[in-house]
Amino acid sequence: MAKEQIIKQSFPVLEMTCAACAVSVESMLSNTAGVKSASVNYANQSALVEYNQAQISPDQLKAAVQAIGYDLVVDDAENPELLAEYEQQHYRQLKQRTLGAVALAVPVVVLSMFFMDWKYTNYISMVLSAPVVFYFGRSFFMHAWKQARYGRANMDTLVALSTGIAFIFSVFNTLFPEFWHSRGLHAHAYFESAAVVIAFISLGKLLEERAKSTTSSAIKKLIGLQPKTVWTKINGIEKELAIADVQAGYTIIVKPGEKIPVDGTVTSGQSFVDESMISGEPVPVEKKTGNKVFSGTINQKGSFEFVADKVGANTLLAQIIRMVKEAQGSKAPVQKLVDKIAGVFVPIVIVISILTFLTWIIAGGDQAFTHGLLTSVTVLVIACPCALGLATPTAIMVGIGKGAEHNILIKDAESLELAHKVNAVVLDKTGTITQGKPVVTELIWAKDAEQYAAVLYTLEAKSEHPLADAVVKALRTTNAESLPVQAFESITARGVKGQVAQQWYWIGNLKLLTENQVPVSDEWIQKAAALQAQARTVIFFANAQGVLALLAIADPVKETSKEAIKTLQQKGIEVYLLTGDNEATARSVALQVGITHYKAEVLPSDKAGFVKELQQQDKVVAMAGDGVNDSQALAQADVSIAMGKGSDIAMDVAKMTLITSDLMVIPKALKLSTKTVQGIRQNLFWAFIYNLIGIPLAAGVLYPVNGFLLDPMIAGAAMAMSSLSVVGNSLRLKFAKL
């Protein structure tokens, strides 16, 4: 007996068009010999498969999925560029089919409406609609056939049956009209119904696919944080290597402005490194001998050398990439209401159509076959899922447009469907609650000391310390001018000192002043302590005679953050604050905005773990963030919201992006979700009410009472009316107040 070699691997799935497709693929994989478990995520277009490598190979998994009309990417499954290419190719093909179907369906509709009595109308309509049904709509028939082989049915089945039978029935009536004329009936043709249905359903799928066409871009951009080549020092000789050739123990050289390629420990040199992708904090971190550096972070103005500790899949960046992918793939497939109903609706309609025909054959009298064929086709025509296919996309389209008017960019239906259920909101601090950049909040001058503003401006402009930029920006508004500098020195972990107009000045922390015997009064020390208690970074500016000024630097809270958080809390939503910053800063910000639940010094994985904990408590969690460090938590959250001024990666992972940095837009987004979901449910009601009334009429239930048989043309009109009612109801959302 072969030894079990259990492997858990994620594979991209192609050609899925609805949640029912995901169920079919999952069922097929789960029932394949050698597969322990399979979970297919429609929203993420992926399958997480646990299988015994000794029993089955990825190629056999691919063959099993292909048998029911879908495809599994097993070669280069982890290659984001290749997957993006697959998606773009599929989108282009769908777009071409949709445009082709619409282009041919329009003249068919015009002919049927305005030239119905012309003797060539049916022949021209037949020629135009044939490629719509059997070429541009061929995927419906192919998928329906492959589903049928395994005893399954989905929306493709109903589309294929209704359009196929309507087309064949119309061809028969066009070529052999005397069959009906001899029986006192008119030979109707329904080419326009078949063509329009294919065009409408294709358009709906195109709209949905458009929203999903960039699903792998977040992973691609995360990988892009790592440079392709690095400079190493081997046996004292500098050499450029491909990132894949770097091994643990190599000495890496990092120059100003470069991305750090792997994780390691600094051995020489000094610089500041932007680690916002890890901590989310805007202030770069000083790095000197013995400090750790991480892949994907960005070096500032200095240069240094470090020894590689972790490379390849072991780096922190690689772990973030892997965790984002796992978080995206672990969410259950979105079981849209339309697909749940369709799962029952499709087989029921088919059965009703068959029963209608058999009933007429058994008890139909003289014209049993004629009436049986006519009514069974009418059942399929009226039950055509055109409105069903439009119910969700039209409401989503209007909802997305409405969101855009209020600075809310929405990626897909999932976020709109879930947002109204949110009862817990997790907020990142930096860039979400706060402005995301350090600014001078207080500048306290000693008496008659403002004359030294130009000196402060001059020395800070020469400093490489990241906080110096905040000081320079603040003083620039006072029209301070640069002065000649006789000497300048940057002192590690202390600050800077410089000589201007033959006098020495110091800018930095209290240690810098005490080590240089600069007198500091108790009053200045008390002022500094008070500012530090408010989570401010304090900088002293002094000359040999004493302190000239005290500067407080902080990341200020946005004006509307407190009001937005209060609005959410009034709706019964719990609000949580997570930050990589220290405890004092986290507590200060939480008090300012009225948040009682907060956690400080959290890593990216901690944020995702916290979101998962809330979900395990049966909470529907919304996460709002703006940085790479938030990407894992955003991927894990039920509803993910990126702040518009944040990183591209956060915006790609998130299902919603706020164009503005105003947190007040979040309550509006939740209300928009409620309105949109209401619209979808109303649309589904109108989409089915015609069928609930029309199908029995189409089957001929009134014929024994008053001899009434529903004309297929009227059935087609009823189908069109259901579509119009759905579109009209969706448009009402445009006028809703948020």
Side-chain angles (χ1 to χ4, degrees), residues 282-305:
V283 180
V285 180
E286 185 179 12
K287 298 294 179 182
K288 52 188 178 181
T289 302
N291 291 148
K292 296 288 184 182
V293 291
F294 302 98
S295 173
T297 56
I298 303 171
N299 184 31
Q300 301 292 285
K301 297 177 182 178
S303 60
F304 59 90
E305 296 178 5

Side-chain angles (χ1 to χ4, degrees), residues 410-609:
I410 299 163
K411 270 191 178 180
D412 58 21
E414 181 183 4
S415 56
L416 278 179
E417 287 181 342
L418 280 177
H420 75 288
K421 297 180 181 178
V422 165
N423 52 21
V425 173
V426 178
L427 300 175
D428 172 51
K429 177 183 75 71
T430 307
T432 303
I433 294 176
T434 66
Q435 292 181 7
K437 53 186 178 182
V439 298
V440 175
T441 56
E442 283 90 12
L443 174 51
I444 305 170
W445 290 100
K447 187 177 180 181
D448 299 325
E450 289 189 44
Q451 58 182 306
Y452 295 101
V455 176
L456 178 60
Y457 176 81
T458 300
L459 295 179
E460 285 291 67
K462 292 182 69 67
S463 174
E464 293 182 353
H465 195 286
L467 293 182
D469 289 338
V471 178
V472 170
K473 287 178 182 177
L475 291 173
R476 196 172 286 151
T477 60
T478 65
N479 298 318
E481 297 180 359
S482 293
L483 301 173
V485 178
Q486 284 81 50
F488 181 85
E489 182 184 351
S490 179
I491 303 168
T492 302
R494 297 291 187 270
V496 299
K497 71 174 183 177
Q499 190 179 37
V500 179
Q502 308 305 318
Q503 186 173 357
W504 284 98
Y505 297 90
W506 291 266
I507 306 171
N509 56 27
L510 187 59
K511 286 183 180 179
L512 177 68
L513 272 59
T514 55
E515 288 173 358
N516 288 275
Q517 286 79 48
V518 175
V520 182
S521 68
D522 290 340
E523 183 183 357
W524 284 113
I525 293 175
Q526 289 170 6
K527 287 179 180 179
L531 290 169
Q532 287 170 336
Q534 298 172 31
R536 304 285 198 269
T537 300
V538 175
I539 297 174
F540 289 89
F541 172 45
N543 59 14
Q545 286 71 46
V547 176
L548 299 172
L550 196 65
L551 297 93
I553 297 178
D555 182 10
V557 171
K558 295 173 187 173
E559 292 180 1
T560 58
S561 292
K562 184 174 183 179
E563 184 184 354
I565 289 164
K566 183 179 179 181
T567 301
L568 291 170
Q569 291 169 337
Q570 287 174 342
K571 293 178 180 293
I573 298 171
E574 294 180 0
V575 182
Y576 301 83
L577 166 64
L578 298 185
T579 178
D581 213 336
N582 59 63
E583 175 72 20
T585 302
R587 181 172 59 253
S588 174
V589 171
L591 285 172
Q592 286 182 63
V593 296
I595 293 178
T596 55
H597 308 290
Y598 68 90
K599 290 186 73 173
E601 299 177 4
V602 292
L603 295 174
S605 57
D606 297 330
K607 290 186 178 183

